Amino acid sequence: MAPPFVFPSTLRDLERDADGDDDGEPSLRPEAPIAVTALRAADLEEFVKGTSFDLSDKELFCIEEQDVFNSVYSLVRDFTCLPPALKFNLVEALRSNLSVLLPNIDSLSRASMSPSDGIPITDRIASHRNTLKIYSFFLLSIVLTQESSADSGTGAKVTTHGRKKNPVYAWNWEAQRGRIMNLVATSLEVDLTLLFGPGGADERYLSFVSKCTFVLFENQSVLKDDETRNGLCRIIGAIATKHQRTSQTSASVLHLIHKYDFTVAYLAEAAAAAEKKFGDGSLAISLIREIGRTDPKDYVRDGAGADNVGRFLVELADRLPKLMSTNLGVLIPHFGGESYKIRNSLVGVLGKLAAKAFKDVDGNNSAHAMRLRSKQAMLEILIERCRDVSAYTRSRVLQVWAELCEENAISIGLWNEVASVASGRLEDKSAIVRKSALQLLITMLQHNPFGPQLRTATFEATLEKYKEKLQGMESQSPEEDEPVNDHQLGEVIVGQDESVSDSCLPSSQDQRDQDPMIADITNLEQIRALVASLEAGLRFSTCITSLMPILIQLLASSSATDVENTILLLMRCRQFQVEGSEAALRKMLPLVFSQDKSIYEAVESAFIAIYTKRIPTETAKSLINLNIDCSIGDLAALENLVSSLVLKGEISSSTISALWDYFCFNINGVRPVQCRGALSILCMAAKSSPSILGSHLQDIVDIGFGRWAKEEPLLARTACLALHRLSEEDKVKLLSTSTRVFAALQSLITSFSLPEKIWYGATEKAISAIYTLHPAPEIFATEIAKKSLNSVFSSSAMDGMSNGVELETQNGSFVSAVSATKLGRFLFVISHIALNHLVYIETSVKKIQKQKPKNDKSQHTNEDSEVDASKNSEAQGINAELGLGATVDIAIESLAEQAEREIVSFSCEKNLIGHCGPFLSKLCRNLNLLQKFPVLHASAKLALCILMIIDAEFCEANLQILFTVAESAPSEIVRSNCTIALGDLAVRFPNLLEPWTEHIYARLGDPSASVRKNAVLVISHLILNDMMKVKGYINEMAVRVEDEDERISSLAKLFFHELSKKGSNPIYNLLPDILSRLCNQHLKEETFHSIMQFLIGSIKKDKQMEALVDKLCNRFAGGNDVRQWEYISYCLSQLTYTEKGLKKLIDNFKMFEHALSEDSVMNHFRSVIAKCKKFAKPELKVCIEEFEEKVSKVHEEKKEQEATTRNAEAHNQKMGSLDRILVTKEVGQNDGKSAEEEASGEVIDPSVDNNAEDKETEEASEAVDPSVDDTNAEDKETGETSEAVDPSVDGTNAEDKDSGETSEVADPSVDDRNAEDKETEEGSEVTGPSVDDSNEEDQEAGESTEVTGPSVNDGNAEDEETEEAADPSADDGNAEDKENMRERSENISLEKSQTSSTCTELEDGSAEVQSARKPRRGSSRSTLKKIREPALEGPADSAAPVVRRSTRSSRRL
């Protein structure tokens, strides 16, 4: 008996490890293996064939023999060196032996009962076990060796052994590999209990097989082979389920899922296959629980792994929905995780489960109700996830709902809730969510359970019928059916079956009065269910109808996917006859001008599907109806589409014939308006194929200008357009066959048969057709002009036109002689003739220039000899060198310029238009007259603009009146026309219009939305086509970004969007100037923010963003306006910062440091810092945090300084208010006192002589602030009376007052004319001392001071002075007193400079002041000066000396 075979880790470990197995027993090992690589080709072939012969000729267990084992091991070890044929022989021998061995394992059980060969059954089992392991080991080793060599490319060296250089892989290795893996899988699936015992298979055996399997699973090319992949999946399922290695297998599977995305679907397939084959879902359950136990944060860090895990869960739910539904609870907590990829996958899982896990109807009612509740809970989670924070998850939820719609897994009760959620997501900020919402609505319309028509009116009518029937049936049996009613209605709303939706299909269609459904449905429960279903259908129809405004907005979206899916949804709505869908689809027509090719193709496809995929007659009718209802803009788009489809052949010739039938009234019931619509469509088709009109020339003339033109006024205009688009051959043919064309055109222009509004457009096209068709249009146009003039003026009026103008401008009598309507039409005809004549001149010049080279070539062909030809060529070369050839071109151009000037100029020949120019100019200046006739006003201004476009001199002479009218005309139509004309003038005469650029931009601020819109269009056209430079007034265009009119706002945004594509983005250079100008316009803060956010968003380059940081920071130093600081800081917060940009911001800190005191500025800088922290690297975050601390510190310091300043100002105001209160109080007290003074003192008789000596009166000592402003010095020197100064009045007071000191307070409001002196008041307190931060002194309490007589010590003169009532009459006659007073003031000033004074108590109760004063800067003279106050005239007994506190106010003596 051979020793047992023990599985090594690798093939070569058999040679290295010879110690036996774990039990110490000897194991089967290779002994002296043969070096196959050293053998010659013949010897190698013989060796392989011998080994193969032994394996096939001997019994299955010969592999246990040492020599056979050695040979097989040697060949497997060097398998890559074998030629393909020898490889095939070896593999086939091993594989066939194993395939034969497996059935023998089942026979062991029978052999154990009846042994026949005498071999013990244990030995036979051991031999089978050993043989199974050896064959499996060698086959798997061959697979691993071959795959590793294929990956490394080493197999390319093998061809040297064979006689023929056959390819290395000429044999079909993939087929062999698949058979091997399936054979190994079969060996694992058989009952191995007899071989390995009840404990299961050998652990090393299973580990080796499992390891090989997962190694092969890592190779994507291996998994592409179906047979090999199936074998690998079977092996995984068998090892995990049958051999109970679930935990190890699930760990390996999860490793593969996280690392290799291509294995996800196959591993889910393996788990599902194991559950179905063995009836055991332990592997799938283990995987689900392992995923559920994973920390959600791990999925945030491993994004790719989270994506793979999510896909695996969805695949597993798709294959095992019931198993997943029972284990879903472990996954639900991941909805709260941060990884949106896991949330996306869970949403997909819920969708799969809702669609598949609850389809069976087995079980009792309770089990069915439980399944319904579980499904309802899952659907509620899906609805809740529609509001997920991640746009990807919201989009995925909507996609899942669309899948559920396709699976018919949404009940009617939930249908409208889903539709409402999808409708709300149409306004989501993310484009992918909007796309998914649109696709969901398309799917819901396609699979709706309410019928093929969703017209609201039809639903309402049908619902009303069934409600009436239901009420009638309920009134008959209310008692029986009431409980059923509640239950049945609840079922319909919550869990409606598809059968109900089928039953209501006929009810949502147009029904006749005798609807069979009304007669058939007699059951009360069915009627109730049907009514509930109809109500749900009505709500769904109303919901879809209400989406039309939103869908129209989405047609203008910048996202191409929005536009494409919106068009698809509108087409689906039209298919189901939703109200408003037809009108909304017409809004897509202008999108044909989109530069996005996908949008153009979507519009074109929709147009073809809606209008042209029909029979020719219906196609023609639909195009005609579309043309009739189109606006001017839609007509241009329709023309583009029709001409393009004619070129592509989408509009067939039979459709063109049907259109001619409509035009020629060959179809019964054709109306004139349809005739006109058919001709309009034919004109559009003729744009790309002019020959279309050539077959019915006479019909165009007869019908277009015949009697039908009177019934349909626009028919004549359309006929003129058709004549204009004739091909050159058809034009010649028309002139030769038809003679009444020009007569009809002349009659159209000069007659009054057409309505006034239509006449102008028809006349314009008629004049254009005349200049296109007529051989001498200037002659014919002259006749038309004369005829039109005769209809307005008489011959006498023609002779005296200039006098008429004078009469018109003076008294208006001339205007009363003519019709304003006729005059307006005449001006219109004259101006358009002039314009078409200008075009005719330019066209003629181009024809001449084109014919010139042809004439030169014809002259060359007419030369007889080569000599003459050579001479002519030499002459032409000389002429070219001398510039003689250019002389002809110059002459042509000069003639053209002269012809253009003669159109409007007032030449000697006195042409009609030349006369009309001055007349028109004078007429337009008479604004009072034109305001009475609005139509004449519009015609005159339009004619003036056209003539200005033609002639530069006339333009320059009338520019001022044109701008005046554009700014002040009362009619917005006139202002709009002038604005449009300014754009044309700027193109034709840019130098003349350049000084008026500011006034052109001013039109953007016009109160009329129509004028502003035209101004935006004109300026956009001029700037984007480089016809006008972007001036500093572009801020007016920026303001229009937030215009109240959405159309104007969209146009302004479109302008800046297109401007940003030019060059290096001019918005970058314009932004600082726009910012400074907007700061001065006093816009609302929200408006400014929106404008600047939009403009900054159009700047994409990092370098420009970095440069803007410098520019914006420098503007902080340019002004002190807080509002400007706020705006600049907001702009900084909107920039996208790179590392360089952030460093520039930090470097410019000094520029904006002073502005950080404002909270709003600080908030914007905080947002900048928060934005930078998101992308910053660790080393940069340190700089950001330092910058944040620095900014915060400066902000706090600035706030503290402001708070201190505010407190000081508040204190000064408080003290000033208190002083005024005290003064007012003293005035009231003094008025009520008697004339005699209570304190002792000297009273001076006011009648004393002027020469009497001045006497001093004692007054209470006061604490005087020495820091009174220098301006007091002037008052002191001039002898003004100074009053006691309140220390709170002047901010420069620096000395503390004695808190307890009492003094007399004088009324500072006493006038010089006051006749009475106030008495000295004893005991009044002085309050409100102010403390100066430069000189603080302690406050001292003082005693009340009485007013004393002249006993005051002279040494206290600087603090105490006596006010004496003097006769004011002495002031004029006594100059000596004035001099004495000045001297006294000077002496007092000198005494005040002393450093100290004392206050002592005198014998008579008077006080002597002592104070320590320090001289301080800012007080040049004494701050206190007491002088005699002149007494006013009055009784002597009413005068009394008054002690006053010194103040700034003073009276002159």
Side-chain angles (χ1 to χ4, degrees), residues 1214-1282:
K1214 182 177 179 182
M1215 299 308 297
S1217 301
L1218 185 60
D1219 183 61
R1220 287 193 295 273
I1221 292 172
L1222 291 175
V1223 170
T1224 305
K1225 181 178 179 182
E1226 182 183 353
V1227 171
Q1229 291 176 351
N1230 290 340
D1231 290 341
K1233 284 188 176 182
S1234 62
E1236 296 182 354
E1237 187 176 347
E1238 293 181 3
S1240 61
E1242 183 180 350
V1243 180
I1244 301 175
D1245 188 355
S1247 62
V1248 76
D1249 189 73
N1250 293 338
N1251 295 327
E1253 296 181 355
D1254 296 337
K1255 297 181 180 180
E1256 297 181 352
T1257 303
E1258 296 286 335
E1259 67 175 357
S1261 62
E1262 296 178 3
V1264 182
D1265 188 354
S1267 61
V1268 175
D1269 194 84
D1270 294 342
T1271 56
N1272 293 335
E1274 182 180 354
D1275 295 339
K1276 296 170 185 175
E1277 291 177 0
T1278 56
E1280 295 180 345
T1281 303
S1282 297

Side-chain angles (χ1 to χ4, degrees), residues 595 692 710 779 889 896 1071 1095 1295:
Q595 296 180 355
I692 290 176
K710 297 180 181 179
I779 299 175
D889 295 334
L1071 192 65
L1095 294 178
E1295 189 174 353

Side-chain angles (χ1 to χ4, degrees), residues 9-55:
S9 299
T10 61
L11 178 66
R12 292 187 179 272
D13 286 347
L14 286 174
E15 298 181 43
R16 301 189 187 100
D17 188 7
D19 297 333
D21 56 5
D22 296 338
D23 299 331
E25 297 179 0
S27 61
L28 186 60
R29 300 284 175 176
E31 296 178 0
I34 302 170
V36 175
T37 55
L39 298 176
R40 295 181 301 171
D43 296 339
L44 179 60
E45 185 175 356
E46 184 179 354
F47 177 67
V48 172
K49 287 182 178 180
T51 304
S52 301
F53 179 78
D54 291 341
L55 290 173

Side-chain angles (χ1 to χ4, degrees), residues 937-958:
H937 192 184
S939 298
K941 297 304 179 186
L942 181 60
L944 179 68
C945 295
I946 291 175
L947 295 186
M948 289 174 66
I949 290 172
I950 295 173
D951 189 76
E953 295 180 0
F954 188 80
C955 174
E956 186 175 6
N958 294 279

Side-chain angles (χ1 to χ4, degrees), residues 822-950:
K822 292 182 178 180
L823 180 59
R825 291 193 178 191
F826 166 70
L827 295 177
F828 185 85
V829 170
I830 289 296
S831 60
H832 279 77
I833 287 176
L835 184 61
N836 279 275
H837 197 69
L838 176 66
V839 175
Y840 176 70
I841 292 172
E842 293 178 351
T843 306
S844 301
V845 170
K846 289 180 180 178
K847 287 181 180 179
I848 295 173
Q849 291 176 344
K850 287 182 180 179
Q851 290 176 356
K852 183 173 175 293
K854 295 180 181 179
N855 296 334
D856 294 340
K857 290 181 181 179
S858 62
Q859 290 180 4
H860 292 311
T861 56
N862 292 332
E863 298 294 336
D864 296 330
S865 62
E866 296 181 358
V867 178
D868 294 337
S870 61
K871 290 182 179 179
N872 287 333
S873 62
E874 292 177 1
Q876 287 178 359
I878 296 172
N879 291 337
E881 292 179 0
L882 296 176
L884 297 179
T887 306
V888 179
D889 295 334
I890 295 174
I892 294 174
E893 292 178 1
S894 63
L895 290 174
E897 292 176 0
Q898 182 179 355
E900 291 177 4
R901 285 197 302 269
E902 289 178 353
I903 297 176
V904 179
S905 62
F906 192 83
S907 62
C908 59
E909 298 179 359
K910 295 185 179 181
N911 61 69
L912 182 58
I913 300 178
H915 276 289
C916 288
F919 164 73
L920 186 59
S921 179
K922 292 181 180 180
L923 179 63
C924 290
R925 282 179 168 81
N926 195 341
L927 299 179
N928 295 329
L929 174 67
L930 292 178
Q931 288 178 4
K932 300 177 183 179
F933 306 98
V935 178
L936 177 61
H937 192 184
S939 298
K941 297 304 179 186
L942 181 60
L944 179 68
C945 295
I946 291 175
L947 295 186
M948 289 174 66
I949 290 172
I950 295 173

